[in-house]
């Protein structure tokens, strides 16, 4: 068994031994949802004070308002009653370090993990790669604050999202653990 697999299963065994949350309701008790990045340095349960059953947390690369993130948010309110949403990106996000062209080139070259150096990512693997990457919008980020505004605005303007739900826009600072509001985003996401 891989070390990672055994570590995870052991940790789960320990968690389950003292588990006391078996009777939680399905809808999130505190009625809100967070869309945030998958970055390993971010722990939404800790930075936003969540316990099991409190809130929906939707994560992807960048915390972007992709079609699939919106699918989850719509289910979150329509079926499970959330009434306030957060879009939380963060400083030093990996999505700022490449473009669509870069990742398409890397994946066309090989499927090995690329190396990150001074000049950005370079591919060091054996081919073949795949041209399939050309068909994916990777939703990379060139300006983090603007990306939060864009994602909040996309959610706000989506025809399946009711105007009563406020959408707040923040950037989590990975060096301080602090949430920093992006006022233009929160303004764009205001409920009406
Ligand atoms: Zn990130």
């Amino acid at each position: 068994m891989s070390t990672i697999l055994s570590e995870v299963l052991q940790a789960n065994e320990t968690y389950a031994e003292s588990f006391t949350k078996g009777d939680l309701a399905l809808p999130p008790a505190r009625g809100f949802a967070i869309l945030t990045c998958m970055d390993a340095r971010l722990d939404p349960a800790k930075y936003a004070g969540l316990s099991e059953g409190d809130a929906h947390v939707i994560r992807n690369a960048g915390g972007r308002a992709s079609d699939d993130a919106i699918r989850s948010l719509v289910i979150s309110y329509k079926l499970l009653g959330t009434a306030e949403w957060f879009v939380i990106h963060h400083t030093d996000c990996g999505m700022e370090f490449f473009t669509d062209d870069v990742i398409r080139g890397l994946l066309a070259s090989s499927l090995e993990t690329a190396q990150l150096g001074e000049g950005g990512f370079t591919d060091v693997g054996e081919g073949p790669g795949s041209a399939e990457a050309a068909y994916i919008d990777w939703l990379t980020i060139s300006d983090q604050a603007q990306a939060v505004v864009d994602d909040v605005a996309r959610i706000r303007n989506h025809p399946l999202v009711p105007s009563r739900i406020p959408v707040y826009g923040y950037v989590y600072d990975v060096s301080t653990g602090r949430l920093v509001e992006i006022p233009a985003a929160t303004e764009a996401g205001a409920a009406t």
Side-chain angles (χ1 to χ4, degrees), residues 22-105:
D23 56 358
L24 294 173
L26 195 163
R30 293 172 60 198
F32 68 95
I34 294 173
L35 170 61
T36 196
C37 186
M38 69 183 188
D39 190 294
R41 295 167 292 181
L42 275 58
D43 186 342
K46 289 180 181 162
Y47 76 54
L50 308 179
S51 294
E52 293 92 335
D54 277 352
H56 285 146
V57 178
I58 299 149
R59 302 187 72 164
N60 62 33
R64 303 307 313 268
S66 61
D67 289 348
D68 194 65
I70 288 174
R71 177 185 70 89
S72 295
L73 287 168
V74 170
I75 290 168
S76 176
Y77 91 82
K78 185 66 182 178
L79 302 182
L80 296 163
T82 60
E84 298 181 49
W85 294 346
F86 295 76
V87 172
I88 302 177
H89 293 186
H90 65 99
T91 60
D92 197 40
C93 185
M95 298 295 282
E96 299 172 275
F97 302 148
F98 65 97
T99 61
D100 275 7
D101 279 349
V102 166
I103 193 168
R104 285 168 180 165

Side-chain angles (χ1 to χ4, degrees), residues 155-168:
I155 294 165
R156 169 79 299 138
N157 295 324
H158 197 281
L160 296 177
V161 173
S163 59
R164 67 176 179 275
I165 296 179
V167 187
Y168 314 120

